[in-house]
Amino acid sequence: ARAIARMYREAGFTFVRVTVDKKLLKQGIVRYQVVQGPMVWVRHIHFIGDHNIAKWYLGFKIDTKTHFWFIRKGALDKTQVRGDTERIRKIYQGKGYLDARVSYYLKFSPSMRNVTVDFVINEGPRYRIGKITLIGNHALSTARLLKDITIKPGDFWNRSLVAEIQERMAKEYGHLGFIYSHIIPDFAYSSQPGLVNLTFHITEGRPYTTGRVIIRGNPQLQDHVIRRQIRIYPGSLYDTVEVERSERRLKNLQLFGAESITPTGHRPDSRDALVNVTEQQSARFLVGAGVSTDAGLIGQVSLQQRNFDVTAFPHSLGEFLRGQAFKGNGQDFQVMLEPGTLYQQYSASFSEPYLWDSPYSFSDQAYYNMIFRESWTEGRLGNRVTFGRRFGDDWIVSLGLRAENVNISSIQPGSGQIIVSNAGNHFLTSITPAVTWDTTDSEIFPTRGFRASVAVEQYGVMGGSYHFTKINATFDLYHTVYTDPFGRKTVIAWKNQLGVIPNGPGWGNSVFFERFYGGGIGSLRGFRYRGVSPRQGPLNDPIGGNFLAITTGEYNFPIYENMLRGVFFVDAGTVESDIRVGTVRVDAGFGIRLTIPFFGQLPLALDFAYPLNQASGDNIQYVSFALGMPF
């Protein structure tokens, strides 16, 4: 009966009563009588006594929410409210209000169907740090463990900063092979009012070296594909920081449902590294459709094998039909057919990230694209080959070779002269040396580190219709500002792009379909795709610029579990016909990101942006979205 009542209360039926008929119970019959009463809606939430933390912040952190039509249920759950009082108390304690107390009151309407929840807060004094003491450290000095700390005596107590110090100390020990070290922070009230003394209790254990690296759970993927991602080696210190890095590298392969590296064994001075992976389906045949403000409505038929092996020919037809051929070596092969209303792509690609397990890489893509531009149609038939070389884990140097035929057709009357004069076929070749420096922790969703790249594309070196130089540089910086109790991170990102096509004597002349354009998803989101550009002709056609500069600030935070996230952003930038800064376009807005693993990494991106500054002729767009859905 109590369990039934609890289910009703969690659903918002606060006054439910569940009883058992005792007379029937004596006859061996169990009958529950349920009087559910009215569902109670939370109409208002008030915070009383909050002087130093904003109401909106507290409201964002609690689970109790007000009822909002069909978007948010907002039913009263007393268990949830009680949990929120503890959550608010911990927020205050984390910021130094160690004596904070929180209670709540419920004010019901006369009908008992609506309620106002009042959280009453007694903040108390805010404490500062007195002494900082380390106990139990012998292998590492106190000075080394406390170097570059972000909190010092006299600063306000801050739980998140204390956690950062704890993590930094753990990494110091982890680098030296102290696998089983433990660091526990604690505080004690000082005899001096308003001060607490901070103590780190350290259990060091002993350092271990790495024995064997044992791999389990990979019946399809060859061992060497996994081993080349592992950053600890037999005989080296068992570096737990490098273990975490290795786990991230395995995750970035996107070949496993789960991956972990744990120490095992009983030797006195070494531990084996047990690499446990759970393979997921690496081959995918996808039939789907998508729609976006950049590319319109698009269909998709694709076949991809992310664990391809070009040398694993089948020994029989049955082996091929069972999917046991051409797999196991961690290569990537994909055939994609994407017909669409504004954009069509048909391509086949192959990539080998580690040629013969060396730091060299190779990729090749053949493609045919048909793009329906503003007042013309652009067809591209070509092939792109790229050779790469890794230097360590962070640096990549590559050389790209491109050969492409571009056909400009179906030009509308009134188009700009530069478009009309370039009707027909154009043969392009280019060589692109590039260098990338990447310290981010994830290729999919970076939360810290930076990614910088410079690419110089030289057209006409291998022949072709045009000779000019195109320079692209990017710099993206990521920083985690908060990690919630569920491990979800709030991340600030700063993204920058600079594009330059030098013109003038000795540099050659660029062509409009290879120039820079701004606007749309991943660019200036308050403007239409390619809506920021120099223009020409009665139709005000965009003809591209020889200079592009765009910077974006983005605040990305979790909303619901790991599926739904929100973003606030500001974009600023310009596209000009020559190398100068003219009118700087600025927009600001917010958006959502919905990730469902079955549908891919980013099936839905929706942004609402408002242009704060624009130039004459720019195409404005308040909503940008991209949605993909497999059938």
Side-chain angles (χ1 to χ4, degrees):
R2 286 194 296 269
I4 295 171
R6 182 168 59 250
M7 292 175 63
Y8 272 91
R9 291 191 186 102
E10 290 174 353
F13 296 94
T14 303
F15 303 108
V16 65
R17 290 183 60 198
V18 182
T19 58
V20 179
D21 191 320
K22 294 183 178 179
K23 292 182 179 180
L24 289 178
L25 189 61
K26 293 178 180 179
Q27 303 174 29
I29 300 173
V30 182
R31 183 166 69 180
Y32 297 101
Q33 180 68 34
V34 180
V35 180
Q36 68 178 25
M39 178 173 282
V40 181
W41 307 104
V42 178
R43 295 297 180 180
H44 303 282
I45 298 175
H46 297 149
F47 299 97
I48 302 170
D50 56 312
H51 304 297
N52 295 290
I53 297 181
K55 286 180 170 59
W56 69 264
Y57 180 81
L58 296 174
F60 184 74
K61 292 297 182 181
I62 64 176
D63 290 333
T64 301
K65 304 295 182 183
T66 55
H67 174 68
F68 186 64
W69 201 21
F70 63 88
I71 296 177
R72 194 167 61 204
K73 185 177 181 180
L76 177 64
D77 182 349
K78 286 186 177 180
T79 302
Q80 191 176 73
V81 174
R82 286 192 291 270
D84 284 336
T85 62
E86 180 65 16
R87 191 169 289 109
I88 295 170
R89 186 178 70 87
K90 287 183 177 180
I91 291 172
Y92 272 92
Q93 288 185 335
K95 294 185 179 296
Y97 299 93
L98 301 176
D99 299 336
R101 297 292 180 266
V102 184
S103 58
Y104 72 92
Y105 294 98
L106 303 178
K107 298 178 182 178
F108 292 92
S109 66
S111 66
M112 307 301 283
R113 293 181 177 273
N114 300 306
V115 67
T116 297
V117 182
D118 289 344
F119 290 100
V120 182
I121 302 166
N122 182 2
E123 293 182 337
R126 191 177 187 184
Y127 285 82
R128 294 180 181 270
I129 300 291
K131 297 179 180 179
I132 300 177
T133 307
L134 276 61
I135 297 176
N137 58 304
H138 305 291
L140 297 177
S141 67
T142 299
R144 176 173 176 177
L145 290 173
L146 292 182
K147 67 176 182 180
D148 302 325
I149 63 172
T150 52
I151 192 168
K152 294 178 174 60
D155 292 345
F156 285 114
W157 172 272
N158 188 307
R159 180 180 292 147
S160 62
L161 294 182
V162 171
E164 286 182 15
I165 298 173
Q166 180 186 9
E167 182 180 359
R168 187 177 296 113
M169 290 181 183
K171 287 184 176 180
E172 288 286 343
Y173 278 102
H175 275 308
L176 298 178
F178 288 85
I179 300 173
Y180 305 113
S181 64
H182 295 284
I183 301 170
I184 302 175
D186 192 14
F187 71 88
Y189 291 98
S190 171
S191 58
Q192 188 175 349
L195 289 181
V196 290
N197 296 323
L198 173 61
T199 302
F200 290 94
H201 298 274
I202 301 173
T203 303
E204 291 183 335
R206 57 159 300 163
Y208 290 88
T209 58
T210 306
R212 298 175 299 162
V213 177
I214 306 167
I215 299 174
R216 296 285 184 268
N218 56 316
Q220 304 292 335
L221 185 65
Q222 297 170 20
D223 278 6
H224 69 95
V225 179
I226 296 174
R227 288 189 188 279
R228 63 196 184 198
Q229 305 299 329
I230 307 301
R231 291 298 175 263
I232 57 173
Y233 311 97
S236 67
L237 286 172
Y238 197 110
D239 188 333
T240 59
V241 178
E242 290 299 322
V243 166
E244 292 180 7
R245 187 179 187 184
S246 301
E247 290 176 339
R248 289 195 301 269
R249 291 176 63 85
L250 290 174
K251 187 178 184 66
N252 285 338
L253 292 179
Q254 301 182 50
L255 293 173
F256 311 113
E259 56 283 311
S260 65
I261 304 175
T262 54
T264 184
H266 302 285
R267 287 186 294 273
D269 57 355
S270 69
R271 289 290 184 267
D272 296 332
L274 178 61
V275 182
N276 263 311
V277 296
T278 303
E279 286 190 355
Q280 60 185 7
Q281 183 61 256
S282 60
R284 184 172 65 171
F285 177 70
L286 181 66
V287 179
V291 61
S292 76
T293 46
D294 288 2
L297 182 64
I298 193 167
Q300 184 184 86
V301 179
S302 68
L303 173 64
Q304 183 182 23
Q305 172 58 269
R306 288 177 287 112
N307 185 22
F308 191 69
D309 186 349
V310 70
T311 64
F313 289 93
H315 295 93
S316 65
L317 179 61
E319 188 176 81
F320 177 78
L321 295 176
R322 289 192 299 270
Q324 296 174 337
F326 296 112
K327 67 187 303 184
N329 204 24
Q331 300 163 351
D332 188 281
F333 176 75
Q334 184 175 26
V335 176
M336 181 177 294
L337 310 176
E338 290 187 326
T341 56
L342 299 178
Y343 180 87
Q344 298 180 9
Q345 174 178 282
Y346 309 94
S347 65
S349 62
F350 168 82
S351 68
E352 167 56 89
Y354 294 87
L355 275 171
W356 302 290
D357 281 331
S358 73
Y360 293 92
S361 63
F362 169 80
S363 66
D364 186 14
Q365 182 187 35
Y367 56 89
Y368 173 69
N369 300 336
M370 179 69 74
I371 311 165
F372 302 97
R373 299 297 192 191
E374 292 78 7
S375 62
W376 72 92
T377 299
E378 190 174 298
R380 292 175 177 262
L381 175 65
N383 191 81
R384 183 179 288 109
V385 176
T386 304
F387 298 92
R389 170 66 158 89
R390 290 178 177 80
F391 294 89
D393 290 337
D394 300 336
W395 288 87
I396 298 177
V397 175
S398 64
L399 181 68
L401 307 176
R402 169 188 171 202
E404 184 176 274
N405 184 77
V406 181
N407 179 262
I408 304 299
S409 62
S410 303
I411 300 173
Q412 295 181 13
S415 296
Q417 179 59 35
I418 194 171
I419 299 170
V420 174
S421 63
N422 280 282
N425 290 303
H426 308 263
F427 183 62
L428 302 179
T429 67
S430 70
I431 296 179
T432 308
V435 59
T436 300
W437 186 11
D438 189 350
T439 68
T440 57
D441 59 344
S442 172
E443 296 179 4
I444 303 168
F445 177 55
T447 62
R448 60 181 174 83
F450 64 86
R451 185 181 293 140
S453 68
V454 177
V456 181
E457 187 168 12
Q458 184 62 52
Y459 290 77
V461 174
M462 300 179 292
S465 307
Y466 299 93
H467 296 76
F468 62 94
T469 303
K470 184 176 183 180
I471 304 169
N472 248 313
T474 64
F475 179 78
D476 301 336
L477 180 65
Y478 303 90
H479 176 67
T480 297
V481 295
Y482 175 73
T483 303
D484 67 15
F486 303 101
R488 301 175 303 182
K489 296 183 177 182
T490 298
V491 180
I492 290 178
W494 181 40
K495 304 177 182 180
N496 302 272
Q497 181 185 2
L498 177 67
V500 177
I501 301 177
N503 48 33
W507 286 105
N509 294 307
S510 62
V511 63
F512 74 96
F513 49 78
E514 291 294 303
R515 292 175 185 160
F516 299 107
Y517 296 81
I521 297 172
S523 182
L524 300 167
R525 281 166 279 194
F527 301 83
R528 191 181 302 169
Y529 176 60
R530 292 165 51 95
V532 176
S533 167
R535 296 176 180 274
Q536 187 185 81
L539 298 181
N540 203 29
D541 288 318
I543 57 173
N546 292 316
F547 178 78
L548 173 145
I550 294 176
T551 184
T552 292
E554 192 169 272
Y555 182 83
N556 189 307
F557 58 93
I559 298 177
Y560 177 73
E561 295 185 348
N562 290 316
M563 296 171 53
L564 185 63
R565 301 185 65 88
V567 294
F568 293 105
F569 58 83
V570 175
D571 305 318
T574 187
V575 179
E576 305 292 342
S577 57
D578 51 12
I579 303 173
R580 64 183 180 88
V581 177
T583 302
V584 177
R585 284 76 163 182
V586 181
D587 65 71
F590 64 93
I592 60 172
R593 304 289 183 266
L594 178 63
T595 302
I596 302 174
F598 177 76
F599 291 160
Q601 291 300 325
L602 190 63
L604 172 63
L606 177 62
D607 291 326
F608 300 88
Y610 184 81
L612 302 176
N613 193 46
Q614 63 192 76
S616 175
D618 288 345
N619 297 127
I620 304 304
Q621 181 170 275
Y622 298 107
V623 180
S624 300
F625 63 88
L627 170 65
M629 189 69 68
F631 300 145

